[in-house]
Every structure is written in structure tokens, then in C-alpha cells.
Amino acid sequence: MDKLRLLWIKTVKRFVCTSILLCSFSWVTAASQDSVEQALVNYFQEIGKTPQEKLYLHLDKSYYSAGETIWFKGYLLNAITHRDDSPSNYIYLELVDKGDSVLCRYKFKRDSIAGFRGNFQIPATLPAGDYYLRGYSSWMRNGDPDFFYYRNLKIGNSIINDILSEVIEQPNAAGSDRMKIRFYQGGGQPYSDITVSYTISRAGEKLDRGEKKTDDNGILEITSPSLLEGRARVDVRFENGSMDYATSFFVDNSPEDEYSVSFFPEGGDLLSGVLQRVAFKAQAATGFSLPVEGFVMNDRGDTVSTFVTEHDGMGVFSFTPELGVNYVAHTQSDKGVIKQFPLPAVCNGIGLSMTTRDGSIFYQVQKSPALGWPGSLYLVVHVRGDLRFFVPLTNEKNEGKIDTGILPDGIAHFLLVDASGIPLSERLLFIRHPEAAKLHVETDRSKYSRRDSVKMQISLADVEEKPLVGNFSISVTDNSYVRQDTTVDHIVSALLLTSDLKGYVENPDYYINDPNDRLALLRADLVMMTHGWRRFRIENLMHPASFEGENYIEVGQTVSGDVLNGFGKGIEGASVMVYSPECFAMCMTDRHGRFLAEGIQFSDSVTQLIVQAQNVRGKSNLTVEVNEESFPQASNIRPYIEGAPENLGDYLSIARDQYYIEGGTQVYRLREVEVRGQKREKDVYRAMADITIDREDMPTFAMGYSAFDYVRTLNGITLRYKEDGTSYLSIRGSEYEPLTLIDEVPYRSNETLKQIQMKDVASVSIIKGAQAAFFGTRGGGGVVSITRLDGSQPISDKPAPGVAFISRLGYHVVKDFYTPTYATPEQKQSPTADKRTTVYWNPAIQFDSSGIAQVDFYMPDNAGPCCVTIEGVTEEGYPVRYLKNINE
């Protein structure tokens, strides 16, 4: 088997059709078979012509502290072959809170050595809690956001201790609409008699707001019916002398014993007159699985089958459905909660049934007795859009066996297709072979002391010990403080399993860890039967769907738009210049007045680009309209694990010490004041606002935006277009442009907001509904009120003719991971403490022609056991992961 596996790895042949299987069906005419086969090949060739991308991030560790740096290596791969040949040169990474608010957004540029390597610092003011990372390329946005990269993260905070808060009583579905929050100092002293304002919202809509004082124990008690309605966000804020504190809490008030059970007949439909397997999955309201048991009863009161969960809420049972009979599953959870769920309706149909055993796949076509054989049928199999084989089927020859050795690792998609190319039934199978590529690590010693030099040799080879090359990264972490999270994806489970399925897969490593674990592979089949959504959905194999994507492959940074004359018509041949301190580009407009400036390189330190246009006569009396920059709405269906790692407290203590060692400063929640003769008063229209975002609550990434670009990211704000093609902001879908107020001065157009950079803004308020009526007819579309930090310099209604000022998200400038050197006795005796928890990080291991790489680093002061994690893909696209402890 290893040799067969190695042969596949070396060749990675596409569009494989087994001639032995094809020749055995002589009853199908060669002409018709060739016609269908050619159509299938054409279909999958079209899939291959359209780039498909997957993104996976290798992080340096499993959890973090505020103030720390997240180090990552991004693997943007061909989604079909898993080779590192994706054409996109930029990826986006976002840190998002539990309420799906994007806190930080960064853009990273591919480099020639490490590919996508990067880092960013977690704000030291970030409250402790659950967050997630989301990553994608511009091209990936043309697909389903469920296939972006997601990773839930626990982030603690031991830096801020002047104001702390915690929820000491949660509302619950049993009827308690009370929530208690305690505010206290790091030493435990309560903040008593402090007025706290709070807002309760859900999905961006405000449900309740108010103000209350904390009691003698620093406890704020909020009572609201809005806390009884499931998931909600509670934003709190208080000001105490020079202190200004705001944070958010997320309430999940779903009933603890609430659950649902979904049923999935094998092949797709519940077929009458056929002994059929039905898989099921039980899921609690938390998003995690739970054990259930039960029985299936027909509408005559007969029990036709019983069932019990086998693994992670999943199981399977069999029975023979009858047409015209309804079936209901009676279930009981492990907590004794009894519920009923209907099974899908029974139909006369046809479907696939499949099992795997001893390296073979056994398939059979199941058909309701009342249904005739529907002409020519074909079994089509592809893996990640790569056609693997095609088998004609007849009523007499409707079953067979396939050797799993001809399929690569990953999810194989089996389709039962009629002569017109329409899939009649589908089935997923997970294929896992013994490892074809292996990493081996050797250190120069078995034991190391404080600040000792570590020399590590890494070799990459196939099963015959022949050297391989690839793209790999390595992290070495201190086992005393950093524990591996076994519940999340790693590069093998992500690429082979979860990245091709829509939905949440619990404990994916279980199905990947040991390719020889037969029980794990059997249970992986439950995952295949209960996850009907996948990356490649096929509607008709005879008619390849044309691809129409709104987002382009981002090879370089671009700026596009239109140049218009005074009548709003495009000007042909106008010269357009785009420039900033970091870049300069020129282009010409086409016959419609459209322009595209390419090859621009600017980092996120650039806050503004200038776009200037002139017509063929050198005149600038024209209008430049630049296409807006947009980002996908954040959403995460992956549930958060309750509690914290057992050693998180010790970890946060060490992380805080290292933060100060590296020059971090103490953070205090100080109220912002004007460094002027007197403090500026707050926006007088603030009391009317439905929402006000102050500077300290604005996400970090927004500082590089214009006020126009930032306001359009707020909930309830959309972008609309006038008849002349210009864009304006719309509050709650209103057809009227909202009134713009800047430092309480009205302006006639939202365009003015594009001249204001968020780095200069103190607050943003949105006024809508009845409160906007205060401004008369001008407030018919609502009001956007901006207060600037200085508030003194008036701005013009329109920029100069032929000029536009725009903001774009530039690429983040990454830094190298710093490893201290202790080569001399003086360095080794340095009094500066070394409390690194990520001992070593390298996003680009360099293998020589013999498949050997050498890495060197020094141990920190805590010279205990360390965990070495290496991830990457070989040149042929085979994912590999290595995990081992050293210095034990």
C-alpha cells in the first residue's frame, strides 16, 4: 500500500478513469459512453480552470494574553491540489469578538521566502474573553464565507488591573431576566456608587438601555426582558473621576437542555421499499453534540427502529420506509429531556449506498420497487473537483467494488448521475491512507539548561526515505505554560476534512490522527453522512456553470473608479495619477471613463491616497469617483468551549512579565481630555443619538479609514447610489441621504465625510427615527454626526476639482521573531529576565536538496519541556504535521 501511495504522491494525475472498470460494461454503446465521459471531463476541466483557494494559518500557540503578539504562517493553497501555487498575493486577517464585531483587520503581502508570514499585537486594553480569527483572500470572497479560515481563541488580560469586571450572575431561560456584573480594582476593592450606563443589543439592534449605580460591593444589577431572548450583547460604560471604562459581555440565554436532532437518509432521500440506513446528529443549543437515544415510530403507532448515539452526537440506524407513511423519531437526551422530530418524507426514488472494508469501497444502487430503471446511469467520483473515475451502471450491474488506493486522501464525492447530467443521489466518503511523507527531528542534546543553545535538525522524506521539499513552519513553546488545544484544526485535518465541509466538525483530529484506526475511520463516515454541505456543489454535469465573481484575484494593490465630466458622463483618455508617500501610479481611462491603477505598493502606515485626474487638454474641471473598498460581514457558527485552560492563570502571569520585559507600558483607563486651554464639550446632539461610538471604542483598523468608509461598516448602514452613479450612505435602507454634521456644522453631501480621516475623529453618532425629525426635512434620511478631536478647522463641501482623497487598507509591515542570543558568558548572565512562552518561531524552514533543515535557538530562563510543532505541505501538496516534546 505504501508504494501505491507513493506513486500517487509523485504523479498526482488528474482525470483518472479506470479502463478496467469501463471495459467491463459492454452493454453501453461506445458512442454514448464516450459522449458522457467527454462531457464529464469538460465539466471538471472547467472547475480546474477557475482558481480555487484554501487558507490555513499555523499559529505559534493555542491561546494568548492581551499585549502579546500573534505570530502566524499563512498557507494559501490551490483548493484542488493543495499545492502552493495560488495566484493571490494578499490575504486578510481579522480579530473578531464574540458578537461578530471586527476589532482589528490586517492585510498581508506574500513574500518570496516565507510566503504569507505575519504578526500583529493584541491590544493591551482588550478585555479577556472569547474571540476568533477569520482569514480570506479577495478571490475567496466569491465563494461561501463558511469556507474562509476560522479559529476560536481564548485571550486573557493580566495587564489591566485598575478596573476589572466579571459577570457573577447570568440570566437564564428558566425565567430569570437578571444579570449581575461586579466592578473592582486589581486588589479586590470594589467600585461602589458608580453610575454605569448599559446597552443591550442583538444582531446590531438595540433592545434596551439604561443607567444604574453599583452597590457597596461594586455590583451592577441589570433587569431586562431583553435578556430572556437568547443570545445578546451587553455593553457597559462608567466614568469615575479620571477613569473611563467600557467593555462588553455576551449572554447566551439558550435553555441548557434545549437540543435538536437532524436525520440524513443515505444517498439523500428516504426511499420506499428499501432497507436503508439513516444517519442522525444530535446538537445542543450550545452548538456542541450531546448523547441521545430513541426510537422511530410510524403514524400507525408501530416502532420500526431504535437508535443511540455512537460518537459525538452521531449515529446510524436502518429500516424499510413505506410510501405514504409518516415517521417520527422519539428522542431522549442524556439529561432526560424527551423530544420528537419528524423524519424526511418518503418517496419513490433511487440512491447510493456505500461501505468501506479492508481497503475497498463497496457501492450499490438502491431503488424503490415501484420505480423503473431510469435509463443510463453513471457513477462519477471526484476528490476536491479532481475527476477520478466514471462507471456506467445498469439495472443488472448496479453494484461493485473500488480500490481505495486509486483515491487520494480527503473527501471523495460520489454522484449517481443520469444521462442528462443531473445528479440523482450523492454520497461523501473520507479517504485516509498511511502517511506518505514524514518529518523527523533530532536535537544535539537530550537535555538543556537555562539559556542553553539548541541545535535542531529536521528531515523530510517519503516512506522510502527519499528526501522531499516543501513549505513548512515551526513553533517551539514552553510546555509549562502553553498547552496544545486538541479540539481545533491543524493543517492535516483542515486541508483533508473540515475545509471541504460546511458546518462545525467536533474534534477533527480524532479522524486524522491515526490512519490505521479503523474505528476512527468508521466514525468519520458518520461525519460524511451528516454533513451534506460541501465546497463543490454540482447541479448538472453536462453544463458547466459559468463563473461570475465580483472580487478579483489580488495580484497587486489597485485603485479603480470613474472620471466624469460636468454632465456626469465618463471621459475617455483622461490621465489618472494615484500617489502617496509610498507609491505612485499612472493610468488612462477607457472609452467609458473607467480607470484601473495597478502595481501600487503601500503599507498600512499610509492613511490616505490622492487620486488626481486631467482630461486630454490638461484640464482638471472634472469629477473623480473611486470605487469603494468593502469587506464581508463577520459571522462565526463555531461554538466556544466553556472555561479556560487549566494553567491559564500561570500563563497570563508569565505573559504579563514578558510584556513589561519587552518594553510594554502599564495601561490605565483614563478619560480622554483635550490638551488645550479648556476641555471641549461633547457633541450637543449626542443625547439624540441611537448609537455613539467614542474614539476609545473604535476598532484599531478604523484609524486608517475615512469617516465615510468607517460609518458604512456600522450596523444598519448600507450604501446606495444616486441616478448619477454617486454613492451615499443609507440608514436602515432609507432612499434619502442622511444629513451630515461635522462638529455640529451641516454639510450638503456625505461626500464630505471622505475628507475626514478617522485618526482625527473623537466620536461618531447616528441619529434616526423620531429624533431625526428635530432637523426638519433635512433629517428625513437620518443624521450622521462627526465630532473631530480639534474641531477647529472648517472643511470645504467638495474637494478640489479632479482630485479625490481616499483611504485604503495597506499591507501590514511584519517583523521578524526575536530570539535572544546567549553566545557569551556575559550574555548568559544578563540580569534581564527571559520568560518567553513561544521559545522559537520560524515561518519558513529552509530544506536543502537532501531534505534537511537546521534551526538554532536558545532556551529561556525556564528550561523545562518544550513542544515542537511543525506544519506544512510538500511540493506535491501533501499536508504534514509533526508534534513532539523535547527536553523532558
Side-chain angles (χ1 to χ4, degrees):
M1 178 63 71
D2 284 347
K3 290 184 178 179
L4 180 61
R5 184 82 187 101
L6 179 61
L7 178 62
W8 174 80
I9 285 294
K10 289 182 176 179
T11 58
V12 196
K13 290 186 178 179
R14 304 181 62 194
F15 312 114
V16 175
C17 295
T18 55
S19 59
I20 295 176
L21 288 171
L22 292 175
C23 292
S24 63
F25 298 97
S26 58
W27 53 86
V28 179
T29 65
S32 63
Q33 179 176 316
D34 290 346
S35 169
V36 174
E37 181 180 346
Q38 186 58 51
L40 294 175
V41 171
N42 292 341
Y43 184 94
F44 286 97
Q45 280 181 337
E46 287 301 314
I47 290 179
K49 289 178 183 178
T50 303
Q52 308 280 340
E53 294 179 337
K54 283 184 184 179
L55 177 62
Y56 171 78
L57 299 183
H58 177 195
L59 307 183
D60 64 312
K61 51 195 171 191
S62 300
Y63 44 83
Y64 295 88
S65 169
E68 279 195 303
T69 296
I70 294 179
W71 301 89
F72 74 89
K73 167 65 174 287
Y75 292 89
L76 186 66
L77 307 173
N78 184 309
I80 296 176
T81 66
H82 290 166
R83 293 182 181 226
D84 187 13
D85 57 8
S86 171
S88 294
N89 285 328
Y90 296 89
I91 61 173
Y92 297 83
L93 185 60
E94 299 162 342
L95 179 63
V96 192
D97 70 15
K98 206 172 179 178
D100 295 325
S101 294
V102 177
L103 307 178
C104 307
R105 178 181 289 121
Y106 297 98
K107 183 176 183 178
F108 294 93
K109 181 175 68 171
R110 185 196 298 270
D111 69 37
S112 58
I113 298 175
F116 291 103
R117 66 185 179 99
N119 60 272
F120 66 90
Q121 189 172 23
I122 303 171
T125 57
L126 191 72
D130 288 304
Y131 299 86
Y132 66 93
L133 289 177
R134 184 175 73 158
Y136 53 89
S137 67
S138 174
W139 185 249
M140 288 172 66
R141 293 180 57 185
N142 293 311
D144 194 321
D146 270 12
F147 295 108
F148 291 176
Y149 170 83
Y150 293 88
R151 170 70 178 267
N152 289 356
L153 281 181
K154 296 278 187 187
I155 298 179
N157 192 325
S158 58
I159 297 172
I160 295 179
N161 55 20
D162 55 337
I163 305 178
L164 301 174
S165 59
E166 63 177 348
V167 176
I168 61 173
E169 183 178 326
Q170 291 268 17
N172 59 69
S176 173
D177 60 356
R178 183 174 63 189
M179 180 180 185
K180 291 184 177 181
I181 305 170
R182 183 167 74 99
F183 298 91
Y184 60 100
Q185 299 178 32
Q189 182 178 354
Y191 281 103
S192 58
D193 199 35
I194 300 295
T195 300
V196 180
S197 60
Y198 64 87
T199 302
I200 304 172
S201 59
R202 182 177 297 109
E205 290 293 322
K206 291 184 178 178
L207 305 175
D208 198 359
R209 58 169 43 172
E211 283 188 351
K212 293 188 72 174
K213 285 194 173 185
T214 58
D215 63 16
D216 292 342
N217 297 313
I219 296 174
L220 170 71
E221 182 177 314
I222 301 174
T223 303
S224 172
S226 300
L227 296 173
L228 289 174
E229 302 174 11
R231 294 180 175 88
R233 178 183 184 126
V234 181
D235 297 301
V236 298
R237 183 187 194 93
F238 78 78
E239 297 177 355
N240 178 35
S242 62
M243 311 295 282
D244 191 350
Y245 177 76
T247 191
S248 300
F249 300 95
F250 300 94
V251 176
D252 188 351
N253 201 22
S254 302
E256 294 182 3
D257 54 1
E258 180 67 27
Y259 70 94
S260 63
V261 184
S262 302
F263 295 88
F264 306 88
E266 185 176 22
D269 294 320
L270 200 56
L271 307 178
S272 66
V274 175
L275 179 60
Q276 189 175 12
R277 294 197 300 166
V278 179
F280 66 92
K281 183 172 184 178
Q283 196 169 33
T286 60
F288 292 103
S289 63
L290 81 165
V292 299
E293 61 182 4
F295 57 90
V296 177
M297 181 179 290
N298 63 24
D299 50 15
R300 296 191 294 265
D302 302 321
T303 297
V304 298
S305 186
T306 61
F307 56 86
V308 63
T309 51
E310 178 183 343
H311 178 73
D312 280 352
M314 298 176 293
V316 66
F317 60 91
S318 300
F319 79 109
T320 303
E322 297 179 55
L323 189 66
V325 178
N326 298 317
Y327 297 90
V328 174
H330 298 254
T331 66
Q332 180 173 311
S333 71
D334 57 337
K335 295 182 180 179
V337 179
I338 297 174
K339 302 189 74 172
Q340 297 180 12
F341 302 94
L343 267 64
V346 182
C347 67
N348 283 323
I350 192 167
L352 277 173
S353 177
M354 312 195 74
T355 58
T356 57
R357 186 173 65 251
D358 300 328
S360 295
I361 299 169
F362 298 87
Y363 66 87
Q364 180 184 30
V365 177
Q366 294 184 318
K367 180 181 68 66
S368 299
L371 183 70
W373 187 263
S376 298
L377 291 181
Y378 305 91
L379 180 65
V380 179
V381 186
H382 75 94
V383 179
R384 298 187 295 272
D386 181 2
L387 180 63
R388 284 289 157 170
F389 60 82
F390 153 84
V391 182
L393 301 171
T394 68
N395 193 23
E396 294 77 18
K397 294 288 187 179
N398 60 10
E399 60 183 10
K401 182 177 73 170
I402 301 168
D403 184 355
T404 58
I406 65 174
L407 295 174
D409 286 280
I411 297 175
H413 188 188
F414 290 74
L415 300 104
L416 183 63
V417 182
D418 65 17
S420 63
I422 304 297
L424 305 178
S425 179
E426 303 179 59
R427 180 73 154 84
L428 302 180
L429 283 181
F430 182 63
I431 307 299
R432 185 76 170 116
H433 299 291
E435 300 289 351
K438 294 184 177 180
L439 285 162
H440 182 68
V441 174
E442 291 185 355
T443 55
D444 59 334
R445 283 187 283 167
S446 60
K447 194 69 178 176
Y448 298 94
S449 300
R450 173 182 178 271
R451 301 188 177 185
D452 277 351
S453 171
V454 179
K455 296 186 180 300
M456 184 180 295
Q457 181 175 284
I458 306 169
S459 60
L460 176 64
D462 61 25
V463 293
E464 295 182 348
E465 298 301 326
K466 293 181 180 179
L468 296 172
V469 295
N471 187 4
F472 286 82
S473 49
I474 179 174
S475 174
V476 181
T477 53
D478 188 335
N479 257 1
S480 302
Y481 303 105
V482 179
R483 303 293 168 83
Q484 296 296 315
D485 187 349
T486 59
T487 65
V488 299
D489 268 319
H490 51 69
I491 194 167
V492 182
S493 63
L495 295 185
L496 299 185
L497 181 62
T498 59
S499 63
D500 289 323
L501 293 175
K502 186 175 181 178
Y504 173 64
V505 178
E506 250 179 278
N507 303 311
D509 181 61
Y510 171 77
Y511 311 104
I512 296 289
N513 187 41
D514 184 0
N516 298 311
D517 187 339
R518 296 181 62 183
L519 180 60
L521 291 177
L522 286 173
R523 290 174 172 175
D525 200 44
L526 294 175
V527 177
M528 297 298 100
M529 294 181 71
T530 56
H531 282 71
W533 296 99
R534 61 270 177 204
R535 178 183 294 270
F536 295 96
R537 289 191 57 78
I538 295 173
E539 304 297 336
N540 190 325
L541 287 163
M542 298 300 171
H543 302 287
S546 59
F547 178 80
E548 296 181 1
E550 296 181 358
N551 298 284
Y552 55 89
I553 294 176
E554 201 171 7
V555 178
Q557 291 169 292
T558 62
V559 173
S560 62
D562 299 271
V563 177
L564 310 174
N565 61 21
F567 300 99
K569 294 185 177 181
I571 299 177
E572 182 180 3
S575 60
V576 180
M577 292 183 294
V578 180
Y579 55 94
S580 78
E582 288 187 5
C583 66
F584 177 83
M586 291 189 65
C587 63
M588 305 291 288
T589 58
D590 63 13
R591 61 190 183 93
H592 301 290
R594 297 175 301 202
F595 69 88
L596 175 65
E598 301 179 281
I600 308 171
Q601 295 291 332
F602 58 94
S603 68
D604 54 6
S605 63
V606 174
T607 59
Q608 192 174 75
L609 297 173
I610 301 173
V611 183
Q612 187 171 7
Q614 293 181 339
N615 61 23
V616 291
R617 295 188 298 274
K619 302 295 184 179
S620 299
N621 55 337
L622 36 81
T623 300
V624 178
E625 293 185 351
V626 181
N627 292 333
E628 306 289 346
E629 186 176 38
S630 65
F631 300 96
Q633 183 72 31
S635 179
N636 181 27
I637 65 169
R638 291 142 190 84
Y640 296 93
I641 296 176
E642 293 295 329
E646 59 179 339
N647 63 333
L648 184 61
D650 293 337
Y651 170 79
L652 294 177
S653 177
I654 290 293
R656 179 190 59 217
D657 293 344
Q658 187 66 17
Y659 170 79
Y660 292 127
I661 290 169
E662 294 176 353
T665 58
Q666 179 66 54
V667 177
Y668 297 98
R669 303 282 190 166
L670 298 178
R671 185 188 300 178
E672 187 171 1
V673 296
E674 295 280 333
V675 187
R676 298 167 65 95
Q678 60 183 15
K679 181 179 175 182
R680 176 181 169 79
E681 295 296 321
K682 293 182 179 179
D683 179 6
V684 297
Y685 300 120
R686 186 187 189 95
M688 299 181 179
D690 290 78
I691 181 174
T692 295
I693 302 98
D694 290 299
R695 184 175 182 82
E696 57 267 33
D697 298 323
M698 295 172 186
T700 304
F701 72 84
M703 294 302 104
Y705 279 19
S706 70
F708 184 95
D709 289 333
Y710 173 66
V711 170
R712 64 179 294 219
T713 68
L714 301 179
N715 285 322
I717 308 295
T718 57
L719 197 65
R720 299 191 66 166
Y721 294 87
K722 302 176 183 178
E723 291 183 358
D724 62 3
T726 60
S727 60
Y728 66 96
L729 301 171
S730 171
I731 298 177
R732 282 190 170 180
S734 173
E735 63 180 322
Y736 300 106
E737 181 175 358
L739 173 67
T740 298
L741 297 177
I742 301 174
D743 299 321
E744 304 160 20
V745 177
Y747 288 80
R748 65 186 181 186
S749 170
N750 291 168
E751 289 290 311
T752 311
L753 295 172
K754 295 181 179 180
Q755 301 180 52
I756 300 176
Q757 299 303 302
M758 288 303 295
K759 64 183 179 65
D760 300 322
V761 171
S763 68
V764 176
S765 296
I766 305 296
I767 305 172
K768 52 191 175 183
Q771 297 289 351
F774 173 83
F775 300 92
T777 56
R778 295 182 302 169
V783 179
V784 177
S785 178
I786 301 291
T787 302
R788 292 182 293 169
L789 289 173
D790 56 20
S792 57
Q793 299 297 320
I795 59 175
S796 61
D797 240 342
K798 291 281 186 181
V803 177
F805 300 90
I806 65 169
S807 295
R808 284 291 187 271
L809 182 63
Y811 64 84
H812 190 59
V813 179
V814 302
K815 60 183 180 181
D816 294 326
F817 181 83
Y818 171 70
T819 302
T821 300
Y822 302 118
T824 66
E826 291 78 15
Q827 290 173 331
K828 199 166 186 176
Q829 297 304 318
S830 168
T832 302
D834 182 353
K835 297 187 177 184
R836 284 170 291 148
T837 53
T838 298
V839 178
Y840 180 70
W841 168 256
N842 186 344
I845 302 176
Q846 300 296 313
F847 290 99
D848 59 24
S849 58
S850 60
I852 302 295
Q854 184 78 35
V855 298
D856 304 319
F857 59 90
Y858 289 89
M859 294 293 291
D861 289 347
N862 179 43
C866 291
C867 181
V868 178
T869 305
I870 304 175
E871 295 189 335
V873 291
T874 67
E875 193 174 49
E876 295 83 9
Y878 187 79
V880 183
R881 183 176 189 248
Y882 176 92
L883 189 69
K884 183 180 179 181
N885 290 335
I886 63 170
N887 202 38
E888 292 185 297

